[in-house]
């Protein structure tokens, strides 16, 4: 049996055909080209699906189901994207629109962060564990909770938004409307803002040499400067990692999952991020003396996590 997984991103529509052995055997990709109306986006989504099936040496008759991982608020029961601010989508009948373009194939849909979590839980670093939380440190802080191989989505399919739990009352404003959200401190966007502030206060910092200007600062700037021995950069990184740890400690205390997986752009820093992160968690978690403890691990599927998770979606 083969399934198609679609990762609907702001830049690309990435598609993979996956077999029972959880390997991608064919791929397709189209540019998302935002801003656009939904109709041409779904046209290109279907084209990418046909491309992936052809590259796999299959036909659509070999495909059992198609899954979409999409940003925004998703109603899994109706297959409707209720709202996606980055796409300017409101009440888009995604399941019906794609199924019509694929000859009536069964289509499932969920939030993209949930799909990435499911992919890592089943086909990645969480394979074989029963309780798993995935965190993505990117433009925002994405997250998903998987228990016994199933996504925890709550009564309205919006559960698991750990990035919008507050770690600093009356803190930095968040685009969700609250203040002090974890995302406002632990996202790559937040790290870039923190790096720029430190650069302005430290004109001799190696961060200036690496970035060239404030406009060119990215999520790697402070980490790269820290590796050069820059003290200001080290302070930025240490503070940032403590913010990341604050949210993960909350997750550990609330859920005690077997694994918390860290991915996304900042997750690529590997042990430079994870080693000090684990120390903060070990020191401050409530279960400090328990014989079993949550493991903090790096994501392993990279950009394919969402494709795997989408392909694994079902009712």
């Amino acid at each position: 049996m083969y399934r198609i997984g679609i990762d609907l991103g702001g830049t690309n529509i990435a598609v993979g055909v996956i077999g029972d052995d959880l390997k991608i055997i064919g791929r397709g990709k189209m540019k998302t080209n935002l801003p656009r109306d939904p109709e041409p986006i779904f046209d290109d989504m279907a084209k990418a699906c046909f491309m992936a099936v052809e590259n796999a040496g299959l036909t659509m008759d070999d495909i059992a189901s198609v899954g979409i991982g999409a940003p925004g608020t998703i109603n899994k029961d109706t297959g409707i994207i209720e709202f996606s601010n980055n796409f300017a989508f409101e009440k888009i009948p995604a399941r019906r629109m794609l199924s019509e373009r694929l000859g009536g194939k069964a289509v499932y849909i969920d939030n993209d962060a949930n799909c990435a979590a499911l992919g890592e839980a089943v086909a990645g670093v969480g394979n074989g564990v029963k309780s798993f939380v995935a965190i993505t440190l990117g433009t925002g802080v994405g997250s998903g909770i998987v228990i016994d191989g199933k996504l925890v989505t709550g009564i309205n399919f919006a559960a698991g938004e750990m990035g919008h739990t507050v770690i600093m009352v009356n803190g930095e404003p968040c685009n969700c409307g609250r203040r002090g959200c974890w995302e406002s401190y632990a996202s790559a966007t937040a790290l870039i803002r923190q790096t720029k502030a430190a650069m302005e206060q430290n004109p001799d910092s190696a961060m200036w040499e690496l970035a060239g200007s404030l406009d060119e600062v990215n999520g790697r700037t402070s980490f790269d400067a820290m590796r050069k021995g820059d003290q200001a950069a080290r302070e930025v990184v240490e503070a940032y990692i403590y913010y990341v740890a604050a949210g993960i400690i909350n997750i550990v205390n609330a859920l005690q999952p077997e694994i918390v997986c860290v991915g996304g752009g900042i997750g690529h820093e590997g042990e430079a991020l994870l080693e000090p992160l684990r120390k903060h968690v070990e020191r401050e978690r409530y279960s400090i003396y328990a014989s079993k403890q949550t493991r903090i691990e790096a994501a392993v599927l990279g950009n394919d996590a969402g494709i795997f998770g989408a392909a694994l979606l079902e009712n």
Side-chain angles (χ1 to χ4, degrees), residues 74-80 95 109-110 151 153 157 314-315:
I74 313 295
N75 187 316
K76 289 169 54 179
D77 285 347
T78 63
I80 290 174
R95 176 187 294 163
I109 185 168
D110 206 332
L151 284 163
T153 56
F157 312 111
E314 56 186 26
N315 282 338

Side-chain angles (χ1 to χ4, degrees), residues 19 21 32 54 58 69 77 99 106 157 181 209 233 262 274 277 310:
D21 59 356
T32 314
E54 182 179 354
L58 304 172
D77 285 347
S99 182
F157 312 111
C181 285
E209 176 188 344
V262 181
L274 294 177
L277 179 60

Side-chain angles (χ1 to χ4, degrees), residues 275-294:
E275 183 181 3
L277 179 60
R278 292 187 187 108
K279 289 179 179 177
H280 286 308
V281 175
E282 288 166 5
R283 184 174 62 250
E284 296 192 22
R285 62 192 172 198
Y286 186 75
S287 58
I288 189 168
Y289 298 116
S291 58
K292 292 183 179 179
Q293 298 286 1
T294 299

